[in-house]
Amino acid sequence: MSIMNLELKKVVDDSYDIEIGRHLQDTLVEDIKKGLVGSVRRFAVITDSIVNGLYAEAICEKLREQGYLVSSFVIPEGEKSKTREVKACIEDAMLEAGFRRDCCVINVGGGVVSDLGGFLAGTFGRGVPFLNYSTTLLSAADASVGGKTAVDTPLATNLIGLFNQPKKVYIDLATWESLDQRQLSSGMAETIKHACLGDYDMFTYLEKHMEEILSGDEESCGYIAEKNCQIKYQIVMKDERESGLREVLNLGHTVGRAIETVSDYRLLHGEALAIGMAAQVRLAVHFHTMTEEEAARVIALYEKANLPTGIPSYIDREELVKKLYTDKKVRDGHLRFVLQKGIGAIDEPNPGEYARLVSEEDAREIILQMPGI
Ligand SMILES: NC(=O)c1ccc[n+]([C@@H]2O[C@H](COP(=O)([O-])OP(=O)(O)OC[C@H]3O[C@@H](n4cnc5c(N)ncnc54)[C@H](O)[C@@H]3O)[C@@H](O)[C@H]2O)c1
């Protein structure tokens, strides 16, 4: 008998660029020509049924003009496509079309496409490179950056997935022009969350400039795109795998993710998050990490972005309380919430710990107190 030790210590460099601009399709093609993904010549463009005609087809065409082999895989738009089943369908279609390990995935769309496509890229052929071409404010603000990829399951959102970093992220601000008002508002939810957790000046900027942002003003949209990325990547660089600090990005998501599932996705991700943030600030007041005035400012800002801050009448509040236990921050069966400390900072109940134990009674009381809508 013997024991052998396989020494597999790794030094990994997953660094990548995030490019923010307008009409970045040609930039993407140029980057590929310059070797962004090595000598790969075959590309799987994953997109959804709305974004395909708007932006993805043009990217495919531009790549084909340069002699690359390109196939597109189009999923029905919306959260209900972010499943293991849809992932398997694309994988089968890719295999059928002759894709093997020597390919690259390009995700063109919002957070549904980048979460699903990034996960798929991490498992297809045991991992192929991928790029994110972000076309929603929500994905620019959050989903396209940071390397969390996942699919939803009937139990809850984002339960099965990988940490998998793209080779580059393109944030095309011009694509926001075709977003409808509801989607733009939904995107603001993560933006306001970033200000709440890390940047008081950004919060006051949003208070002053919300109307301009929602009407697509170039300067203010550029400002929030940069701020969002800065806040997110500074946290991800310190804690890629969410072993501590990255939990702060979960602000508002304990109730947010639960209500998104309980609503059966009638609520968009950002709308669910807005409700989760309204619950979170109430808890923060309860634990004296925020004043009532600060909590009211946060709720008012979400309302200014046309987002809901109460609980829709079709939601069963007791079911919502039970769903809180599907949250990934739950430890040993106990609920844990990330809470704000004032505006622009996060409560740190113990050194290096950013989520606080909350009893079911406290969580239920807050949920029952929330106004109905
Ligand atoms: N990985 C992460 O870190 C992370 C962070 C936050 C959210 N998310 C995930 O992101 C998802 C939500 O992202 P989303 O709001 O971008 O959803 P989405 O991808 O479903 O896009 C929203 C809608 O907008 C349409 N659309 C996309 N771009 C468009 C454009 N330019 N013009 C017109 N319509 C357009 C889509 O077809 C869809 O109907 C959720 O699944 C959420 O869990 C992930």
Side-chain angles (χ1 to χ4, degrees), residues 48-51 54-55 77-79 82 109-113 115 135-136 138-139 142-145 148-149 152 157-158 175-176 178-180 183 186 190 232 246 253 260 269:
D48 75 25
S49 49
I50 292 180
V51 180
L54 287 172
Y55 307 107
E77 69 77 31
E79 189 71 29
K82 216 178 95 176
V112 164
V113 169
D115 276 10
T135 66
T136 66
L138 192 137
S139 76
D142 202 354
S144 66
V145 176
K148 273 198 194 175
T149 70
D152 303 330
T157 61
N158 299 328
T175 62
W176 297 2
S178 53
L179 284 172
D180 63 32
Q183 293 293 348
S186 174
E190 299 278 9
K232 181 144 186 194
R246 191 170 177 165
H253 280 69
E260 188 179 5
H269 182 75

Side-chain angles (χ1 to χ4, degrees), residues 12-19 28 31-32 35-38 40 43 103-107 118 121 127-133 144-147 164-170:
V12 180
D13 184 358
D14 268 342
S15 317
Y16 58 92
D17 287 340
I18 304 163
E19 184 156 348
L28 176 140
D31 284 344
I32 289 171
L36 176 64
V37 287
V40 170
F43 293 87
C103 70
C104 170
V105 168
I106 306 178
N107 299 315
V128 297
F130 75 105
L131 308 172
N132 283 339
Y133 196 95
S144 66
V145 176
N164 192 22
Q165 302 293 347
K167 293 288 175 210
K168 183 164 175 179
V169 176
Y170 300 85

Side-chain angles (χ1 to χ4, degrees), residues 255-266:
V255 171
R257 285 176 71 251
I259 203 165
E260 188 179 5
T261 316
V262 175
S263 81
D264 194 27
Y265 304 109
R266 281 161 76 176

Side-chain angles (χ1 to χ4, degrees), residues 285-313:
V285 171
H286 175 82
F287 285 107
H288 307 292
T289 66
M290 274 184 107
T291 63
E292 298 224 6
E293 293 70 34
E294 287 164 338
R297 269 178 82 185
V298 172
I299 291 175
L301 188 53
Y302 274 99
E303 286 172 355
K304 208 168 185 184
N306 304 321
L307 285 160
T309 55
I311 298 186
S313 55

